[in-house]
Amino acid sequence: MLRPSFTQGSQILLLAVALVLPLLAGPYWIHVGAIAWYYALLAASWAMLAGYAGQFSFAHVAFAALGGYASALCAGQLGFPLPLAIMAAILLAAVVGALIGALVLRLSGPYLALFTLAISEIFRLVLVAEEDVTRGMQGLPVPGLFPGRSDTPYYYLGLGLVVLALGAMNVLLATRVGLFVRAIREDEGAARASGVDTTRYKILVFVVTSVIAAAAGVYYGHFIGILTPNIAILPEMGLVIAMAVIGGIESLTGAVIGAAVVFLLSESLRSYGEWRFVLMGLALILVQRFAQNGLFPALEQLGRRRAGPRPAASAMEEPSDG
Amino acid sequence: MSYFLLLAVNGLVIGLIFALVASGLTLVFSVLKVVNFGHGSLYMLGGYASYYLITALGLPSLAGVAGAMIALFLFGVVFERLVIAPMYTDRVERKDEYAIIVTFGLTILLTNLGLVVFGPFAKSPPSFMAGALIFGPLILPYDRLIAAIVAVVLLVGLTVFLKRTALGQALDAVSQSRESAAVIGIDPRRMYTVAFGLGSALAGGAGALIAPIFALSPSMGDLPAVQAFIIIVLGGMGSVGGSIAGGILLGLVQGLGVGYLPDPNRALAYTQAFGALLLVVTLLLRPTGLFGRSHLRLE
């Protein structure tokens, strides 16, 4: 089974485009781009969890909420300095990720999906109910990271986080861990029989992806300046799933592109109201039905085939795809 | 005491509606081994279908409910044929994820289509019957009484259908073993389609029954869907009897919980969270559910 992946050339080209974009765009689109990086972090890490490791989790946005709220509460109510508050939030996410990863070891497929859906709902409902601590639906104010009102520093921070997260996940997947994780997805029993410590690697994937989701939540909270429990509602999870699946659930870069394209499209089509999400639901079903590996890997394969034996040419054709 | 009775009876009515939603979800799960994450949106669609049948075509209320069930049956059959059936071919890898994604995609599609087509504002079809049954301290609006009676009739009908008719037994056979059912001449693919159609019809019927009690809105299916997930896990994935018991139990617990816990905001959140907690604990400790049939385990 050949897994479609993006060439290095096309990835560097996309990164260059992302780097110069704020110089050309107005403040509104820089703001939109900075939010897109939040979704890109979530979609890519969810793609690793669900696509590579086959652990279909509905709790990913709940981890973003956990990170965001933890950092905001540590900085606000407990008076931690910001860097310490952020570290505490990340550490908490790692611990909770390990805990949930250990709890769901025996669950798979729809059982895992239902379990994580329930965990996510419980956490969201606690955020709604415990108004004394979280301020409930009124929203929790979060201190900013940078002085001034410009969104540009956040845009570059978000972009940096995406590059960092992609790099870390790719390095991890390029080692034996990636092989083990895929072996577990294909047949857990066979993997264990071949001597893979399935427990260890399943929990590891859960911890890594939960930490990235929490980092995304921390970034989002400090950037937007207010958090409500709605960050973890099911439609938000749906958005992340749609982004990852449309972009390519087995390609981390594909998921990032999916997140950016879906979010930018949904912002630029604002005047069409809910039709955008009708379209997104339809796209989700159609992509899953006809191009299971996602739209962008499929497009890239097409481009590569058209370019024929000259691999250098395929890199040149990428921008029109992304 | 009368307060308790009032809460309990209302909890029972809602529990019967939950049981109806959950039995459809269970039927789909037991036969197809697919958890339909779009079940709540079919419930919503059923509510609107009956609303338009009653207000636009002028059908009598109960005929509107029946019409909604037929419409949803057809919708379910078409969706199963077009989107779910390809899952059973070799072209689809990762079948579990495929099923979750396409059914969850259906929720996104239908909920937002509902917002565009039906509008975000609440709509209410006419009552089944105005007034209320007054029996001592107990006041039960006729709408709720009729919804409960129809729900009981449908649940009993479903149970009898599954036990006593050839088609029902064929569905049960496929739910127990695809291969053995195929050996004795039952086409599993056909049963998948029938089960998904029936499951959709049950969700649609529940939505149509609830319509005069609570108003219709495009996101009305979100909460009952989560409740139905809880119920089918509690009742043992795939056991119709278990979902009926689980539905009634959950309706009662939540009805009483909201009435008796002090702070209303917290009570509402925590009675919902309590159900989700039940799901989590059941999955961890007893994955076959409280009333489960062990052969239906997926793992």
Side-chain angles (χ1 to χ4, degrees), chain A:
Chain A
M1 189 184 70
L2 197 82
R3 188 174 47 81
S5 69
F6 286 79
T7 56
Q8 293 227 305
S10 57
Q11 292 198 27
I12 291 169
L13 215 117
L14 285 171
L15 179 62
V17 170
L19 277 170
V20 296
L21 223 52
L23 305 177
L24 312 169
Y28 174 72
W29 286 103
I30 293 175
H31 182 83
V32 168
I35 300 176
W37 297 137
Y38 163 70
Y39 286 112
L41 282 169
L42 288 179
S45 52
W46 187 80
M48 176 167 167
L49 184 63
Y52 273 84
Q55 305 208 52
F56 198 105
S57 166
F58 270 109
H60 216 56
V61 288
F63 274 103
L66 178 73
Y69 270 93
S71 175
L73 288 174
C74 284
Q77 302 216 336
L78 301 178
F80 285 20
L82 262 185
L84 199 63
I86 291 171
M87 296 238 297
I90 299 291
L91 197 67
L92 180 69
V95 172
V96 176
L99 206 71
I100 293 187
L103 281 180
V104 300
L105 277 174
R106 286 191 311 146
L107 303 175
S108 65
Y111 291 91
L112 177 64
L114 288 175
F115 184 92
T116 47
L117 179 70
I119 288 276
S120 176
E121 277 296 285
I122 292 172
F123 183 61
R124 185 183 65 82
L125 288 165
V126 170
L127 290 180
V128 171
E130 292 305 319
E131 286 178 323
D132 308 338
V133 181
T134 64
R135 292 175 52 87
M137 294 301 287
Q138 285 182 304
L140 182 70
V142 191
L145 294 175
F146 304 109
R149 314 195 86 191
S150 166
D151 289 333
T152 312
Y154 290 102
Y155 177 93
Y156 284 110
L157 174 65
L159 179 58
L161 285 173
V162 170
V163 171
L164 191 71
L166 273 190
M169 286 191 285
N170 278 328
V171 164
L172 191 66
L173 291 174
T175 63
R176 292 192 311 168
V177 176
L179 202 62
F180 291 163
V181 164
R182 278 222 297 284
I184 294 171
R185 185 194 72 199
E186 295 299 329
D187 189 336
E188 191 172 340
R192 198 181 307 128
S194 324
V196 175
D197 185 349
T198 54
T199 306
R200 187 166 148 197
Y201 291 107
K202 281 177 86 171
I203 295 180
L204 177 73
V205 170
F206 228 98
V207 170
V208 170
T209 54
S210 301
V211 162
I212 295 174
V218 171
Y219 161 73
Y220 183 80
H222 289 288
F223 161 47
I224 298 295
I226 189 155
L227 282 171
T228 69
N230 279 351
I231 184 179
I233 53 174
L234 208 51
E236 280 290 306
M237 192 62 230
L239 196 56
V240 172
I241 292 176
M243 288 163 167
V245 170
I246 291 172
I249 194 173
E250 274 198 67
S251 153
L252 302 181
T253 313
V256 168
I257 300 174
V261 169
V262 168
F263 192 70
L264 293 185
L265 263 183
S266 85
E267 279 302 312
S268 45
L269 300 177
R270 246 174 197 286
S271 55
Y272 293 91
E274 309 302 334
W275 280 114
R276 296 170 295 163
F277 299 107
V278 176
L279 197 70
M280 190 181 80
L282 195 64
L284 178 58
I285 295 174
L286 289 178
V287 167
Q288 188 65 4
R289 170 80 175 75
F290 295 107
Q292 259 209 312
N293 285 326
L295 220 47
F296 300 108
L299 280 176
E300 206 205 28
Q301 253 184 348
L302 202 73
R304 212 177 295 169
R305 206 170 304 145
R306 215 171 10 161
R310 290 164 299 143
S314 72
M316 301 304 290
E317 290 186 12
E318 284 327 303
S320 61
D321 295 345

Side-chain angles (χ1 to χ4, degrees), chain B residues 24-49:
Chain B
L25 193 63
T26 295
L27 188 63
V28 171
F29 181 78
S30 68
V31 177
L32 286 85
K33 305 290 179 285
V34 160
V35 173
N36 179 6
F37 283 88
H39 205 63
S41 58
L42 300 173
Y43 167 91
M44 179 271 294
L45 213 55
Y48 279 101

Side-chain angles (χ1 to χ4, degrees), chain B residues 2 6 18 35 42 50 66-67 75 78 91 101 107 117 169 181 186 202 236-237 258 262 278 291 294:
Chain B
S2 64
L6 201 65
F18 283 168
V35 173
L42 300 173
S50 102
F75 182 88
V78 171
R91 275 184 305 140
I101 291 170
T107 298
V117 177
Q169 286 172 345
I186 300 167
L202 287 166
M237 310 275 279
V258 175
L278 277 182
F291 313 91
S294 56

Side-chain angles (χ1 to χ4, degrees), chain B residues 27 155-169 171 194 198:
Chain B
L27 188 63
L155 288 170
V156 171
L158 177 69
T159 316
V160 172
F161 165 75
L162 289 176
K163 284 269 187 307
R164 296 267 183 268
T165 65
L167 184 59
Q169 286 172 345
L171 285 170
V194 172
L198 282 177

